[in-house]
Amino acid sequence: MSQTLSASTLLAVPLAPLAGALLAGIFGTTFGGNWIGRRLSHTLTILGVLVAFILSAMTLKSVALDGARFNETLYTWMVVGGLKMEVGFLVDSLTAMMMVVVTFVSLMVHIYTIGYMEEDDGYNRFFAYISLFTFSMLMLVMSNNLLQLFFGWEAVGLVSYLLIGFWFNKPSAIFANMKAFLVNRVGDFGFILGIGLIAAYAGTLNYAEVFGKTAELGGLAFPGTDWMLITVICICLFIGAMGKSAQFPLHVWLPDSMEGPTPISALIHAATMVTAGIFMVARMSPLFELSDTALNFILVIGAITALFMGFLGIIQNDIKRVVAYSTLSQLGYMTVALGASAYSVAVFHLMTHAFFKALLFLGAGSVIMGMHHNQDIRWMGGVRKYMPITWITSLLGSLALIGTPLFSGFYSKHSIIEAVHFSQLPAAGFAHFAVLAGVFITAFYSFRMYFLVFHGKERYDQNPDAHHAGDHGHGHDDHHEPHESPWVVTVPLVLLAIPSVVVGFMFIQPMLFGDFFKDVIFVDAVKHPAMAKLAEIFHGPMGMALHGLQTAPFWLALAGVGLSYYMYMVNPALPTAIKARVQPLYALLENKYYLDWINENILARGARALGTGLWKVGDQAIIDGAMVNGSWKLVRWVSSVVRWMQTGFIFHYALVMILGVFALMTWFVWRDYFLQLIK
């Protein structure tokens, strides 16, 4: 073990944001007496995240260049039987990469928030929340055991609940955060079952110890069935990932999370909460490699999410929701890569996506600021000349998203498509079709948004709801003309645009085909040869980009961009005409495949009806009525019956004694006669 990684340094990474969160959240709010003002609150929280980022970058350097590793228990919470519940860190290449991504995106969001939330009354509270969010995510990715992982898992869920419902006087925000909380509880139920099965059969929660028992776990059957135990464990763990990483059908919470301020949309969607599930499956690769059934399940779920969530992005008019559905689709791509055993490719796309998706969200927020609260892309147009920095950075983010050669998204998306193509699992055929079709769809709706916002004729003065749109965290002014955002907004956009362009080119070789993930991610190359075949056709990042110009994904992306340009710039009447012709299909998409209706009217109402039935019948009628009240009523009735025998008069008791003696004598004298009668 390298001496370059010290426990105290690593401990400072999550604790620095936590300290900032506590100071701003306690002393910067009414709860603690408002002792510190806005400037000090954002300074303390940004400083905490900056420290975490610097230490994370130093850690990544030590891990990548010096081969440093750290895997130690820092604190033993308790021991139950032979099961240890510990707090510890596992820092390897996967962890170090996630630490840098989380802290960098979080730092950009913190700086951006200064401008975006300038006029909001909950300024200090918001900074406390996003800093606490960063702490939670760091605890999740740095853990060396399943207990700590679950703590971080639930902590990001809790803080996301607070952030989505940040504007707690807004009914839609309250509905959205409750929806996110409940849907994630469904996934977390599966997750805790998976952890419980590991604890029961492996006897440990430590990653290294669990992975050391993979052969033993792989040979066991689930009690009472012929199912493989490892398959049940992996599917349960992945159900947790389905909730956290918003996979079909547990995706329904994520578009509604747009009710929170734009900075948290970027933080949740880009580098933190939604990537937790992808990270977890990649971390658990030694387990998932043992079950082709689980991998097929992951492939199918990911493919459905990648394809069908993309369709929903086509009809969205809210600028933030377009980007939200793109997140859903890209998470589907990552999940497909996991199912194809291309874990390193999934994590690589997680990293590239974090940068350009944070860029797109913050760019959308900048547009909202410049357009004076307007979020409807139908009432924008021509914004390019008023907001040049936002325009160019949003264009770069969109090009990265659709997989333009040389941009970061190209290398990760193209690798996913190729890996699925090479996969030999039964579900790979459908998954390959889904990710290919998804390229065209992503390009279409991404550039539909881009063209409607930044090009064409100006429509911002035609919006009938100009002063009533939803987002409200930024300043007001009396001008109606769009304007560029302040430097605290544009600087993060520029800093995020740089990795959105170059990070794929720079890191594809070491991360996918080098030793970066050696001994961290495990793949059975015999059963799952996708990565081995991918390595055979890779001839450097430049060669890959040149070859990409000749492949189907590039032409599909180009077709998507071209079609969106024609429909929204050249012939804007065409979308309306198509909508009129396919109204049932449009209604299906507008209602999000009626999944929300099913959840609210069947599942939620059914659950409430079941709960009401258990309350009224089970609790009130049976437990309270029959058992509790029934018991004392029975005692009362018995007492009322026997009460006449307890008169208190001696002559009554003497009479009963005489009658008893008479009955006994009669029995003994006439016993044989009575027995004969009975026979």
Side-chain angles (χ1 to χ4, degrees):
M1 182 173 297
S2 174
Q3 299 299 314
T4 56
L5 296 181
S6 70
S8 56
T9 302
L10 294 174
L11 198 58
V13 174
L15 291 184
L18 178 63
L22 291 174
L23 290 169
I26 296 174
F27 300 112
T29 62
T30 308
F31 177 78
N34 288 312
W35 284 6
I36 60 178
R38 291 187 167 209
R39 179 169 292 185
L40 188 55
S41 287
H42 73 231
T43 301
L44 289 170
T45 51
I46 291 172
L47 186 62
V49 177
L50 178 62
V51 168
F53 170 64
I54 293 170
L55 293 176
S56 297
M58 291 167 58
T59 301
L60 179 60
K61 177 181 175 294
S62 296
V63 168
L65 300 182
D66 305 331
R69 294 289 187 273
F70 185 92
N71 185 12
E72 289 183 12
T73 297
L74 303 180
Y75 174 70
T76 300
W77 179 36
M78 64 178 177
V79 180
V80 181
L83 188 66
K84 293 181 180 178
M85 299 187 183
E86 303 167 329
V87 176
F89 292 150
L90 166 61
V91 179
D92 51 22
S93 52
L94 177 60
T95 302
M97 183 275 294
M98 288 293 296
M99 287 164 63
V100 170
V101 170
V102 168
T103 52
F104 178 71
V105 172
S106 178
L107 180 61
M108 296 300 102
V109 168
H110 274 71
I111 296 170
Y112 178 96
T113 301
I114 296 173
Y116 196 86
M117 300 295 287
E118 184 182 5
E119 299 295 324
D120 198 278
D121 294 336
Y123 187 89
N124 291 356
R125 179 165 58 92
F126 189 80
F127 271 98
Y129 286 171
I130 58 176
S131 204
L132 187 61
F133 201 108
T134 309
F135 158 76
S136 304
M137 192 64 191
L138 286 168
M139 288 298 287
L140 188 157
V141 299
M142 294 175 71
S143 63
N144 73 343
N145 63 85
L146 288 161
L147 178 71
Q148 190 175 326
L149 174 73
F150 190 71
F151 163 77
W153 194 272
E154 293 301 310
V156 292
L158 171 63
V159 186
S160 71
Y161 170 84
L162 298 173
L163 283 162
I164 295 168
F166 181 77
W167 290 313
F168 50 79
N169 292 320
K170 192 177 172 188
S172 57
I174 300 303
F175 181 81
N177 73 350
M178 186 59 71
K179 186 176 180 179
F181 192 79
L182 291 176
V183 172
N184 271 278
R185 296 293 71 72
V186 175
D188 292 352
F189 180 68
F191 191 49
I192 196 72
L193 285 179
I195 293 174
L197 286 170
I198 291 173
Y201 288 93
T204 180
L205 294 172
N206 185 277
Y207 293 161
E209 294 174 5
V210 171
F211 298 155
K213 296 186 177 183
T214 51
E216 181 183 332
L217 291 172
L220 296 175
F222 191 72
T225 70
D226 56 355
W227 303 342
M228 289 175 62
L229 175 67
I230 197 71
T231 297
V232 178
I233 289 173
C234 288
I235 289 176
C236 284
L237 291 175
F238 181 67
I239 289 171
M242 285 167 63
K244 198 66 70 184
S245 293
Q247 296 297 294
F248 176 89
L250 301 181
H251 68 279
V252 293
W253 67 270
L254 193 125
D256 287 1
S257 69
M258 297 297 99
E259 291 294 337
T262 298
I264 194 50
S265 301
L267 199 56
I268 288 178
H269 288 209
T272 50
M273 183 170 167
V274 293
T275 61
I278 309 298
F279 165 81
M280 182 272 295
V281 176
R283 175 62 78 195
M284 296 291 147
S285 59
L287 299 181
F288 282 88
E289 281 299 282
L290 297 173
S291 175
D292 281 5
T293 306
L295 292 175
N296 274 293
F297 179 69
I298 293 171
L299 265 176
V300 171
I301 294 295
I304 292 172
T305 308
L307 181 61
F308 290 96
M309 295 307 109
F311 285 134
L312 296 181
I314 295 172
I315 65 153
Q316 300 301 316
N317 294 315
D318 185 312
I319 187 170
K320 287 170 63 177
R321 286 183 180 264
V322 177
V323 187
Y325 279 106
S326 110
T327 299
L328 279 172
S329 182
Q330 296 309 305
L331 286 167
Y333 273 82
M334 298 176 208
T335 304
V336 164
L338 295 172
S341 291
Y343 305 99
S344 56
V345 180
V347 173
F348 183 51
H349 192 51
L350 183 160
M351 180 186 73
T352 61
H353 174 263
F355 296 120
F356 63 72
K357 187 52 56 71
L359 172 61
L360 286 170
F361 265 116
L362 298 186
S366 180
V367 170
I368 293 169
M369 292 176 67
M371 298 295 293
H372 314 284
H373 315 293
N374 177 29
Q375 295 182 207
D376 196 324
I377 59 177
R378 294 171 296 182
W379 306 111
M380 296 183 183
V383 176
R384 171 183 59 159
K385 66 180 181 182
Y386 301 104
M387 307 179 70
I389 299 175
T390 302
W391 162 62
I392 193 67
T393 52
S394 296
L395 176 59
L396 293 173
S398 299
L399 289 170
L401 171 62
I402 69 170
T404 308
L406 292 177
F407 284 74
S408 62
F410 162 76
Y411 293 100
S412 53
K413 282 183 77 172
H414 198 80
S415 298
I416 291 172
I417 294 167
E418 290 296 327
V420 178
H421 174 68
F422 290 130
S423 175
Q424 297 177 354
L425 294 174
F430 168 61
H432 187 244
F433 164 76
V435 293
L436 268 179
V439 171
F440 172 80
I441 296 163
T442 301
F444 178 80
Y445 68 68
S446 298
F447 274 81
R448 168 182 176 263
M449 178 184 73
Y450 170 77
F451 289 132
L452 285 175
V453 173
F454 295 106
H455 295 270
K457 64 178 183 180
E458 299 170 2
R459 300 177 301 275
Y460 55 83
D461 55 350
Q462 303 170 25
N463 183 9
D465 303 314
H467 302 287
H468 305 287
D471 217 334
H472 58 277
H474 38 78
H476 300 252
D477 54 50
D478 299 321
H479 304 288
H480 298 287
E481 197 172 85
H483 59 84
E484 186 60 275
S485 301
W487 72 268
V488 289
V489 170
T490 55
V491 167
L493 293 179
V494 172
L495 291 176
L496 283 165
I498 296 168
S500 297
V501 177
V502 305
V503 77
F505 185 95
M506 292 172 62
F507 295 112
I508 184 170
Q509 172 74 46
M511 288 186 71
L512 299 195
F513 311 109
D515 293 334
F516 188 76
F517 289 128
K518 186 182 179 182
D519 301 327
V520 177
I521 289 172
F522 297 87
V523 179
D524 187 341
V526 178
K527 292 170 62 180
H528 309 126
M531 286 304 298
K533 291 184 177 179
L534 205 59
E536 291 174 8
I537 64 169
F538 180 74
H539 302 293
M542 184 57 73
M544 184 175 176
L546 292 172
H547 177 70
L549 296 172
Q550 310 166 33
T551 57
F554 172 74
W555 293 106
L556 285 167
L558 192 62
V561 174
L563 184 62
S564 66
Y565 180 79
Y566 175 76
M567 289 179 66
Y568 294 97
M569 292 290 101
V570 179
N571 188 4
L574 184 58
T576 307
I578 294 173
K579 179 184 173 182
R581 294 284 184 97
V582 293
Q583 193 59 41
L585 179 60
Y586 184 84
L588 179 68
L589 296 177
E590 193 172 36
N591 289 282
K592 308 170 199 173
Y593 308 116
Y594 295 97
L595 287 172
D596 281 342
W597 185 90
I598 292 168
N599 285 331
E600 291 167 25
N601 293 281
I602 298 177
L603 298 179
R605 286 194 177 181
R608 289 191 65 181
L610 177 64
T612 303
L614 292 172
W615 167 39
K616 294 286 187 182
V617 178
D619 188 35
Q620 290 190 342
I622 297 175
I623 297 174
D624 287 346
M627 297 175 66
V628 177
N629 293 331
S631 60
W632 70 258
K633 287 178 179 178
L634 177 64
V635 170
R636 186 179 67 176
W637 178 80
V638 171
S639 300
S640 68
V641 171
V642 302
R643 188 179 294 123
W644 67 271
M645 300 172 62
Q646 300 291 332
T647 63
F649 296 112
I650 293 176
F651 57 82
H652 285 169
Y653 301 151
L655 177 62
V656 171
M657 290 172 66
I658 292 168
L659 292 173
V661 170
F662 178 77
L664 284 171
M665 290 176 66
T666 303
W667 168 253
F668 283 115
V669 172
W670 297 93
R671 180 174 58 182
D672 294 338
Y673 178 72
F674 289 140
L675 292 173
Q676 193 66 33
L677 284 176
I678 293 170
K679 290 179 181 180

